[in-house]
Amino acid sequence: MSKEYYFSTKSNNAYNSLLDLKTISLECGDKILLERGSVFNSEYIHLKDLSNITISSYGDGDRPIINAKGTGLWYQDYGCELDSPTHRYCGTISSTIHLEDCSNITIKELEIINDKVGDEYYCATGVSAVARNIGVMSNITLDNLYIHDVYGNIYDKHLNNGGIYFTCSKPSKSAFSRFENILISKCFVYKTSRWGIAIGYTYAHENFKGTKYNESAFKVYGHKNIRIENCYVKQAAGDAITVMYADNPIVKNNLSDEAACKINDRYYIKPHNRGGKVGAGIWPWKCLNGEFRNNLTRSTRLNQDGMAYDADSGWSTLYEHNFSSLNEGGTVMFCLEEAIDSSFINNVIDDDLGGIFSMAKNPNGIIKDNKINKKVATPLFRKRMDDGNVTLINNIIREVK
């Protein structure tokens, strides 16, 4: 029979520390319930090899707060180098909530912080997950979470380093690892280093190389049914929302505000050999049939990218019915030779800066039926990012001084 475990820093009739979870043998169907108004400092929740667990709140008042403050350490190792030698593939991570090889997990109605300020090699997350030996890590729901002041570094973009970050490591016991049925909904993610929300970087990246669509790679290693919706990401130090190596991910009704706010020469000062200053708003990496609808991205800060949206090195990415405004690096990029059949349709652009479209060596693409309000001085195509191929159809452009 499932059990409910109550935690409170206000009541004597409950566990008063989340560290007491180490003494509890959780079973399928159990619930971890935190009393509203409680504050759990220098504490964390880490689950491994568990299924059908709920972490939520009870009582009245403000959401319960968990602030790891740099505790909750675990060691991440992808088991192989990443797609670029500039990306660090192993290191110690601090996570307030961490899931490893778990399925059927619901986390909701909590306030999550991890505000220890570390050095340039320190990585931190609010909520993180790693699939390794489970095969398919499935049915994870993050609902109505307030995640903020998560301070890792701004350089290690593919270690679990940000507000919400899910990754796959090379398995030692199963044939593969991937994610399926992941829902992130109604989360407010504020002031995080490096990512806001990122789902799906994988040890299996080599299987997705090249311009040719690899059906077997997506069948075995590609994430399925990834949905990010109704989330608000504000002041992510780097990118706001990204899905990676996913088959038909759906990203809709989200707001990105002031993304990439630390990808600049003022903050990005100790990268060592970890790469350049790049960050954007809401975008996919190496996905198939990604759908991005009804999102709003504003005030993304200028860097080597700095645009609202980016169809990056994947197949048949669709942006439709989105809005963008005041993004310093422009509106959308179709990025490099592996960005195949990208579409940007029925979107509204209001005073984006620096060059509306970035066509960076992409072989094809369609930009159709968009409404574009721009300054006369703002070029339609961003300089030095205008060597790709694209078809423009029925776009309405209004220019003001």
Side-chain angles (χ1 to χ4, degrees):
M1 179 178 291
S2 61
K3 297 179 180 179
E4 295 180 344
Y5 295 95
Y6 294 89
F7 292 80
S8 174
T9 57
K10 305 190 312 178
S11 171
N12 293 324
N13 297 319
Y15 292 101
N16 61 19
S17 172
L18 296 175
L19 301 182
D20 289 329
L21 279 167
K22 296 179 179 180
T23 68
I24 297 171
S25 296
L26 292 170
E27 297 181 352
C28 183
D30 286 351
K31 295 181 179 180
I32 301 168
L33 301 175
L34 284 58
E35 186 174 13
R36 286 179 171 268
S38 292
V39 179
F40 300 91
N41 279 318
S42 300
E43 298 188 20
Y44 55 90
I45 297 175
H46 288 193
L47 304 181
K48 182 177 180 180
D49 299 327
L50 290 171
S51 178
N52 196 16
I53 302 293
T54 296
I55 307 172
S56 187
S57 62
Y58 72 95
D60 299 319
D62 295 333
R63 305 170 201 238
I65 297 171
I66 313 173
N67 186 352
K69 290 185 174 290
T71 63
L73 299 179
W74 58 281
Y75 190 76
Q76 180 173 16
D77 187 348
Y78 277 98
C80 62
E81 291 189 357
L82 305 186
D83 64 325
S84 169
T86 64
H87 301 324
R88 195 156 64 109
Y89 68 90
C90 60
T92 300
I93 317 293
S94 168
S95 293
T96 303
I97 296 181
H98 178 61
L99 310 175
E100 181 177 344
D101 287 345
C102 295
S103 282
N104 303 297
I105 306 293
T106 297
I107 304 171
K108 61 183 181 180
E109 299 175 0
L110 305 176
E111 183 172 344
I112 297 168
I113 309 170
N114 197 348
D115 63 2
K116 177 180 180 291
V117 178
D119 61 22
E120 63 266 29
Y121 286 101
Y122 176 80
C123 295
T125 52
V127 178
S128 69
V130 169
R132 187 183 180 200
N133 288 314
I134 195 173
V136 179
M137 184 167 170
S138 62
N139 301 312
I140 309 296
T141 298
L142 307 183
D143 180 53
N144 195 19
L145 301 176
Y146 177 27
I147 301 172
H148 64 99
D149 296 292
V150 179
Y151 298 133
N153 67 59
I154 56 175
Y155 313 110
D156 288 319
K157 61 188 294 181
H158 291 311
L159 290 182
N160 286 37
N161 193 21
I164 298 170
Y165 214 124
F166 286 27
T167 56
C168 292
S169 294
K170 187 175 181 178
S172 60
K173 298 177 182 178
S174 61
F176 61 89
S177 64
R178 64 175 176 85
F179 293 105
E180 186 169 335
N181 299 334
I182 306 299
L183 174 62
I184 300 176
S185 177
K186 295 179 289 186
C187 293
F188 179 24
V189 180
Y190 178 46
K191 289 188 177 179
T192 60
S193 304
R194 178 186 186 277
W195 237 287
I197 301 172
I199 303 293
Y201 195 93
T202 176
Y203 74 98
H205 57 84
E206 285 286 334
N207 296 278
F208 297 85
K209 275 192 171 181
T211 59
K212 186 177 180 180
Y213 161 60
N214 186 336
E215 182 177 0
S216 62
F218 277 98
K219 184 176 181 179
V220 177
Y221 304 106
H223 314 306
K224 309 291 193 301
N225 194 23
I226 308 300
R227 300 176 66 91
I228 303 173
E229 55 190 45
N230 300 304
C231 293
Y232 179 16
V233 178
K234 183 177 176 63
Q235 292 184 12
D239 305 86
I241 299 174
T242 307
V243 286
M244 312 178 208
Y245 304 102
D247 184 349
N248 190 214
I250 296 175
V251 180
K252 66 178 185 179
N253 301 326
N254 301 288
L255 169 58
S256 166
D257 193 0
E258 297 181 81
C261 60
K262 292 187 177 180
I263 307 296
N264 55 59
D265 290 338
R266 180 180 176 187
Y267 296 99
Y268 205 96
I269 56 177
K270 296 181 180 180
H272 303 299
N273 63 344
R274 289 173 290 181
K277 296 183 287 292
V278 290
I282 300 175
W283 58 281
W285 166 254
K286 280 291 184 176
C287 289
L288 172 66
N289 296 325
E291 298 182 26
F292 294 77
R293 303 179 190 272
N294 301 309
N295 300 290
L296 189 159
T297 301
R298 64 190 179 202
S299 301
T300 307
R301 301 310 186 197
L302 183 63
N303 53 76
Q304 294 175 32
D305 289 348
M307 59 283 300
Y309 307 113
D310 174 13
D312 199 339
S313 300
W315 297 266
S316 300
T317 299
L318 171 64
Y319 284 102
E320 187 174 33
H321 300 304
N322 300 282
F323 182 85
S324 65
S325 180
L326 297 173
N327 297 284
E328 296 177 355
T331 305
V332 65
M333 176 165 62
F334 295 171
C335 188
L336 300 178
E337 295 87 348
E338 297 176 22
I340 313 295
D341 296 333
S342 306
S343 299
F344 192 77
I345 300 174
N346 278 312
N347 302 283
V348 176
I349 302 161
D350 185 35
D351 200 16
D352 280 337
L353 309 169
I356 303 301
F357 303 125
S358 297
M359 299 295 108
K361 299 184 185 300
N362 60 293
N364 62 359
I366 294 175
I367 296 176
K368 179 182 177 182
D369 296 332
N370 300 286
K371 294 180 180 179
I372 304 166
N373 299 320
K374 73 177 191 69
K375 291 183 173 65
V376 172
T378 301
L380 188 62
F381 290 94
R382 184 168 164 177
K383 294 179 181 179
R384 294 182 292 279
M385 289 188 178
D386 55 1
D387 54 354
N389 294 306
V390 68
T391 301
L392 301 177
I393 304 173
N394 295 331
N395 298 287
I396 299 173
I397 302 174
R398 177 177 176 267
E399 294 189 323
V400 297
K401 292 184 180 180

